[in-house]
Amino acid sequence: MKACPDRSSALALLKKYNTESFHLQHGLTVEGVMRWYAVELGCGEDAEFWATVGLLHDVDYEKWPEEHCRKAPELLAEIGCSEELIHAVCSHGYGLCSDVEPVHLMEKVLFAADELTGLIGAAAKMRPSKSCRDMEVSSLKKKFKDKKFAAGCSRDVIQTGAERLGWTLEELLEKTLLAQRSCEEAVNAELAL
């Protein structure tokens, strides 16, 4: 079991530096996606660690977008995050705003899934159900190929992420869609509180 702060401390830190509902929803979504992946990939004993990294990965983005992944270590230190957790958070910006390379499986998953959760979320908003629970991978692939749709979600990062994991793009899309389905209801319920 890898050490990480308890969820209430992590969530309080996220909310201290993030007030926009979009940023909170993204953190909660990536938390759920990372928890799902930990179990799916046989790392269930570290699921809380994976989830905490997902929850806090953008802790510095709303207030310090120009210092994203560089301001994070200072903020994460406020709740005693381990070097391992800080490294993981900073690695998701590799090649964009960070020179911390994702080396561990969890870091590679975060790197690959982070942008993709945004694309899935944007695609879900376009559906009559406003949900990803009834979304098919084929529909997601069409949205991925349409560069104008959710243009802020980097297709290059998603593709590179799949390659780093040794997965096809389709595998990454399918797994991340399943992961996001698994937590969508809980994220919506928490945001409604």
Side-chain angles (χ1 to χ4, degrees), residues 84-128:
E84 187 178 23
L85 193 146
I86 292 169
H87 185 278
V89 164
C90 294
S91 74
H92 88 278
Y94 182 66
L96 303 167
C97 58
S98 169
D99 57 3
V100 178
E101 188 170 359
V103 289
H104 302 292
L105 176 61
M106 181 265 293
E107 294 171 342
K108 292 176 183 180
V109 168
L110 178 63
F111 181 89
D114 176 31
E115 290 285 308
L116 185 48
T117 64
L119 184 69
I120 293 169
K125 284 182 182 160
M126 303 297 290
R127 303 182 68 73

Side-chain angles (χ1 to χ4, degrees), residues 126-144:
M126 303 297 290
R127 303 182 68 73
S129 65
K130 306 284 186 223
S131 171
C132 67
R133 282 175 284 189
D134 59 355
M135 187 185 300
E136 297 297 326
V137 175
S138 57
S139 171
L140 182 57
K141 277 166 73 173
K142 285 180 191 159
K143 296 295 188 191
F144 181 87

Side-chain angles (χ1 to χ4, degrees), residues 15 20 22 25 33 36 38-39 103 105 110 136 157 189:
K15 288 180 174 180
E20 293 178 25
F22 170 81
Q25 180 175 15
V33 164
W36 182 92
V39 173
V103 289
L105 176 61
L110 178 63
E136 297 297 326
V157 167

Side-chain angles (χ1 to χ4, degrees), residues 2 34 37-38 40-43 50 102-112 164-167:
K2 294 182 174 140
M34 292 300 289
Y37 264 116
E40 179 71 12
L41 300 176
C43 302
W50 286 47
V103 289
H104 302 292
L105 176 61
M106 181 265 293
E107 294 171 342
K108 292 176 183 180
V109 168
L110 178 63
F111 181 89
R164 283 181 167 275
L165 286 162
W167 298 349

Side-chain angles (χ1 to χ4, degrees), residues 140-183:
L140 182 57
K141 277 166 73 173
K142 285 180 191 159
K143 296 295 188 191
F144 181 87
K145 289 176 183 171
D146 179 359
K147 303 286 191 253
K148 290 181 182 144
F149 179 78
C153 297
S154 171
R155 275 55 168 185
D156 290 342
V157 167
I158 295 167
Q159 184 69 56
T160 301
E163 291 164 9
R164 283 181 167 275
L165 286 162
W167 298 349
T168 64
L169 176 62
E170 184 148 352
E171 281 178 285
L172 177 64
L173 295 176
E174 189 174 319
K175 283 177 166 63
T176 306
L177 180 56
L178 288 171
Q180 202 150 333
R181 280 183 193 155
S182 79
C183 66

Side-chain angles (χ1 to χ4, degrees), residues 28-33 178-188:
L28 292 167
T29 298
V30 178
E31 173 190 34
V33 164
L178 288 171
Q180 202 150 333
R181 280 183 193 155
S182 79
C183 66
E184 183 182 72
E185 207 171 305
V187 168
N188 290 340

